[in-house]
């Protein structure tokens, strides 16, 4: 086609680029699109944005993932891996380039699988297969622990190691089964059923980490149902912490890893059992000791009561009685003696008070000399004038003659 | 006192679970405090023997691993690293 100076459309670069931008960004399908391809030219500058090119055999597409979306990315991007990217087509006018502004990335093929996962999950959920009322308690101290896993994987080794360390008293029954590939689901179902015939206390259904396709057997409807139908409670430990399978939902308990499943199956460890023994021993020891102490107290009390009723006490009380009597007798005697003494004293006083005047009245007289008052009791003393005292008074007399 | 009949079985013939259950019974019986003294002392001695026995079992326990082969169980040998 020949260029012509009089073309009907005459635009600046900006105007044209703006038209292109309006065209692409105005197309709703371009604004909500999944694009599938391989990553190349991956760049992760410090800004936090991620730049890469998505390409397939015949074409390539510039992609950018802005920091807020990039920080939520849960897979590790690498050149060469196949992904599905979701986003919208934008035009970067300064460079005249269009690009996919990516907000979600998932490994290729995951999308379809994930849709299937959601569909089955919803179906089984509506059946009540995942109801919390269905969940059984994991026994505290299982005697028989069943394991369904691959006979050769690291998962089995990890679980046996954990069980050996935590509860070597337990008996382990392994029902080996392939854990990936088309044969895995029916084999897993059969292993769970066979294991149940051995009446284990708990079953560990486990598999080590892997890609989502590797873990897919544990999203198989047959396996998910077999887990729910198991008579023994099932602990499901498949993949890593971030992996969820439908068996996790139908199991009685979900463990993040096989090792964690083994730990959850042994809530009581050998150390707990040793502690329990120690506490039992201290219980029976202290109970027996206090029983003995009680008996001793009882014997002491019997001894006291015996002492109370013993003749020794009676004899002592008799002694006391005797002593009391003696005391009373002594005090009575003393009292009487005092009484007698005072009587005697009274009599003597009475005697003293006997008046010589009394004698006078009986005709006796008291004669004294008038000159010097000398008592005249002998004839030789009688001379001169005398005073004679009789009962009612005195009179004077003269000595006439002495015989 | 009905518990005294369990004293008959020698400790060594018990499984760990049986021994532990009996031990629990002894603790309860002693806590109850209704036994005559000589009975209690016998319970204590029995309990002591059970504690020792269980301790030995715990120390010497080896995880027993078997594998289902069809309907029967066979010993499972772990591959060495």
């Amino acid at each position: 086609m020949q260029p012509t100076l009089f073309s009907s459309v005459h635009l600046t670069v900006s105007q044209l680029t703006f038209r292109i931008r309006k065209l692409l960004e105005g197309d709703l399908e371009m604004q909500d699109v999944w694009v599938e391809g391989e990553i190349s030219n991956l760049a992760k500058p410090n800004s936090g944005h991620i730049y890469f090119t998505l390409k397939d055999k015949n074409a390539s597409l510039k992609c950018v993932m802005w920091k807020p979306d990039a920080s939520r990315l849960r897979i590790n991007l690498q050149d060469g891996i196949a992904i599905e990217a979701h986003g919208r087509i934008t035009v970067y006018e300064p460079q005249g380039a269009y690009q996919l502004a990516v907000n979600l990335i998932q490994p290729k093929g995951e999308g379809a699988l994930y849709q299937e996962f959601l569909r089955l999950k919803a179906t089984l959920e509506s059946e009540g297969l995942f109801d919390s009322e269905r969940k059984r308690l994991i026994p505290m101290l299982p005697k028989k622990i069943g394991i369904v896993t691959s006979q050769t994987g690291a998962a089995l080794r990890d679980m046996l190691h954990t069980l050996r360390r935590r509860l070597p008293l337990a008996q382990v029954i392994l029902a080996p089964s392939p854990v990936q590939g088309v044969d895995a689901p029916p084999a897993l179902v059969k292993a769970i059923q066979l294991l149940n015939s051995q009446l284990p206390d708990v079953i560990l259904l486990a598999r080590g980490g892997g890609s989502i396709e590797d873990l897919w057997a544990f999203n198989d409807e047959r396996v998910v149902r077999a887990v729910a139908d198991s008579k023994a409670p099932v602990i499901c430990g498949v993949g890593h912490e971030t992996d969820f399978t439908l068996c996790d939902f139908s199991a009685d308990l979900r463990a993040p890893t096989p090792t964690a499943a083994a730990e959850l199956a042994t809530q009581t460890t050998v150390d707990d059992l040793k502690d329990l023994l120690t506490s039992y021993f201290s219980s029976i020891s202290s109970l027996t000791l206090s029983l003995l102490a009680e008996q001793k107290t009882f014997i002491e009390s019997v001894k006291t009561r015996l002492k109370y009723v013993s003749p020794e006490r009676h004899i002592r009380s008799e002694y006391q009685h005797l002593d009391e009597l003696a005391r009373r007798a002594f005090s009575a005697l003393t009292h009487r003696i005092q009484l007698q003494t005072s009587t005697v004293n009274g009599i003597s006083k009475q005697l003293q008070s006997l008046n010589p005047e009394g004698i006078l009245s009986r005709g006796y007289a008291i004669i004294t000399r008038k000159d010097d008052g000398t008592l005249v009791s002998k004839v030789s003393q009688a001379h001169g004038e005398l005073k004679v005292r009789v009962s009612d008074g005195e009179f004077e007399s003269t000595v006439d003659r002495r015989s | 006192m009905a518990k005294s009949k369990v004293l008959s079985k020698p400790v060594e013939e018990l499984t760990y679970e049986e021994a532990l259950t009996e031990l629990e019974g002894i603790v309860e019986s002693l806590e109850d405090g209704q036994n005559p003294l000589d009975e209690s002392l016998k319970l204590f001695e029995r309990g002591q023997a059970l504690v020792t026995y269980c301790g030995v079992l715990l120390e010497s326990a080896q995880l027993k691993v078997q594998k289902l082969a069809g309907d029967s169980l066979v010993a499972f040998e772990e591959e060495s690293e």
Side-chain angles (χ1 to χ4, degrees):
Chain A
M1 189 168 76
Q2 285 289 315
T4 155
L5 284 174
F6 305 105
S7 166
S8 58
V9 186
H10 204 115
L11 299 171
T12 62
V13 175
S14 293
Q15 286 169 331
L16 179 71
T17 308
F18 182 72
R19 287 269 302 259
I20 292 174
R21 183 175 161 191
K22 259 177 72 181
L23 214 60
L24 291 178
E25 295 185 6
D27 183 335
L28 288 181
E29 279 185 16
M30 294 282 188
Q31 298 305 303
D32 176 16
V33 62
W34 281 100
V35 186
E36 188 181 312
E38 235 174 59
I39 292 178
S40 65
N41 298 325
L42 179 66
K44 292 178 177 175
N46 287 337
S47 62
H49 312 310
I50 298 176
Y51 303 93
F52 58 93
T53 304
L54 211 52
K55 60 177 192 178
D56 60 17
K57 256 191 296 180
N58 300 316
S60 65
L61 171 68
K62 283 194 170 174
C63 299
V64 57
M65 195 169 198
W66 304 117
K67 191 177 173 182
D69 296 314
S71 65
R72 281 197 297 271
L73 197 61
R74 61 182 183 86
I75 57 173
N76 190 20
L77 295 185
Q78 281 171 346
D79 277 335
I81 67 166
I83 62 158
E84 293 167 357
H86 176 270
R88 60 193 174 87
I89 295 294
T90 62
V91 173
Y92 184 50
E93 288 167 80
Q95 287 187 1
Y98 66 94
Q99 59 187 9
L100 182 69
V102 179
N103 60 2
L104 267 180
I105 295 179
Q106 62 188 25
K108 187 183 166 188
E110 192 174 296
L113 280 177
Y114 189 62
Q115 291 308 314
E116 169 61 14
F117 175 90
L118 289 181
R119 187 197 61 75
L120 187 56
K121 180 167 181 272
T123 307
L124 298 177
E125 203 160 27
S126 68
E127 270 182 42
L129 212 65
F130 305 154
D131 286 358
S132 53
E133 302 90 74
R134 284 185 57 101
K135 310 285 181 199
R136 287 156 298 184
L137 279 178
I138 308 303
M140 287 298 294
L141 184 58
K143 278 183 272 186
K144 212 185 265 186
I145 299 173
I147 296 183
V148 176
T149 192
S150 161
Q151 189 169 329
T152 51
L156 177 63
R157 200 182 59 227
D158 292 347
M159 284 189 288
L160 289 180
H161 177 73
T162 303
L163 294 177
R164 191 167 283 128
R165 174 171 58 81
R166 289 171 63 92
L167 193 62
L169 282 174
Q171 178 195 359
V172 172
I173 300 176
L174 169 67
S177 164
V179 288
Q180 69 186 75
V182 284
D183 297 336
L188 285 169
V189 170
K190 194 165 177 234
I192 293 169
Q193 287 166 350
L194 265 179
L195 197 49
N196 263 295
S197 66
Q198 297 291 326
L199 304 174
D201 297 306
V202 61
I203 291 177
L204 308 182
L205 175 64
R207 188 207 188 286
S211 70
I212 188 145
E213 289 91 348
D214 289 343
L215 306 184
W216 207 252
F218 296 88
N219 288 321
D220 188 284
E221 185 171 351
R222 290 163 289 175
V223 181
V224 178
R225 287 188 186 280
V227 167
D229 289 342
S230 169
K231 279 193 218 72
V234 177
I235 302 176
C236 184
V238 171
H240 294 306
E241 272 176 59
T242 49
D243 298 321
F244 271 89
T245 66
L246 291 180
C247 282
D248 285 325
F249 294 104
S250 68
D252 296 279
L253 189 62
R254 177 200 181 246
T257 61
T259 299
E263 281 168 358
L264 289 170
T266 50
Q267 296 168 77
T268 311
T269 67
V270 70
D271 289 334
D272 295 332
L273 291 173
K274 283 177 189 169
D275 290 348
L276 183 67
L277 275 186
T278 309
S279 88
Y280 276 163
F281 182 67
S282 74
S283 289
I284 63 171
S285 300
S286 68
L287 285 168
T288 306
L289 281 178
S290 72
L291 186 71
L292 288 174
E294 238 170 64
Q295 289 292 321
K296 207 175 148 191
T297 314
F298 176 68
I299 288 169
E300 288 298 327
S301 92
V302 168
K303 233 162 112 182
T304 312
R305 278 160 59 198
L306 214 56
K307 236 181 192 166
Y308 187 74
V309 297
S310 91
E312 189 193 328
R313 188 186 157 82
H314 188 64
I315 290 165
R316 262 196 289 162
S317 118
E318 286 301 306
Y319 263 125
Q320 202 174 358
H321 187 52
L322 261 179
D323 287 347
E324 173 69 11
L325 283 179
R327 194 185 59 75
R328 277 167 57 194
F330 178 72
S331 103
L333 275 172
T334 313
H335 186 64
R336 188 169 298 172
I337 288 165
Q338 276 174 353
L339 216 61
Q340 297 284 329
T341 309
S342 67
T343 310
V344 170
N345 286 347
I347 289 168
S348 77
K349 256 187 205 142
Q350 211 180 335
L351 281 175
Q352 265 176 13
S353 73
L354 272 181
N355 203 332
E357 248 80 357
I359 298 164
L360 298 183
S361 68
R362 278 183 275 156
Y364 298 92
I366 297 166
I367 304 164
T368 51
R369 283 209 309 249
K370 196 182 171 187
D371 52 354
D372 58 4
T374 308
L375 192 64
V376 177
S377 58
K378 288 175 179 160
V379 175
S380 60
Q381 292 171 325
H383 51 80
E385 290 181 331
L386 302 173
K387 269 186 175 175
V388 178
R389 196 172 160 191
V390 291
S391 67
D392 58 348
E394 57 186 9
F395 59 89
E396 290 177 9
S397 70
T398 314
V399 177
D400 290 334
R401 158 177 69 89
R402 288 189 290 200
S403 54
Chain B
M1 265 139 282
K3 285 187 178 105
S4 62
K5 64 175 162 38
V6 284
L7 297 183
S8 53
K9 203 169 178 185
V11 163
E12 304 74 44
E13 288 176 19
L14 299 171
T15 65
Y16 180 83
E17 287 75 20
E18 285 170 341
L20 199 66
T21 308
E22 192 184 330
L23 190 54
E24 279 165 6
I26 285 176
V27 173
E28 277 169 25
S29 180
L30 284 174
E31 273 168 351
D32 193 35
Q34 299 297 310
N35 302 300
L37 183 63
D38 61 340
E39 183 81 23
S40 296
L41 291 178
K42 271 183 204 152
L43 283 174
F44 172 69
E45 275 172 26
R46 176 76 172 176
Q48 208 174 14
L50 288 168
V51 167
T52 310
Y53 175 65
C54 287
V56 169
L57 285 188
L58 287 182
E59 289 298 339
S60 63
Q62 298 263 346
L63 191 72
K64 186 181 171 195
V65 185
Q66 291 169 299
K67 186 172 89 169
L68 261 178
D71 286 337
S72 55
L73 289 174
V74 296
F76 174 70
E77 299 296 332
E78 266 176 276
E79 69 223 77
S80 45
E81 318 253 323

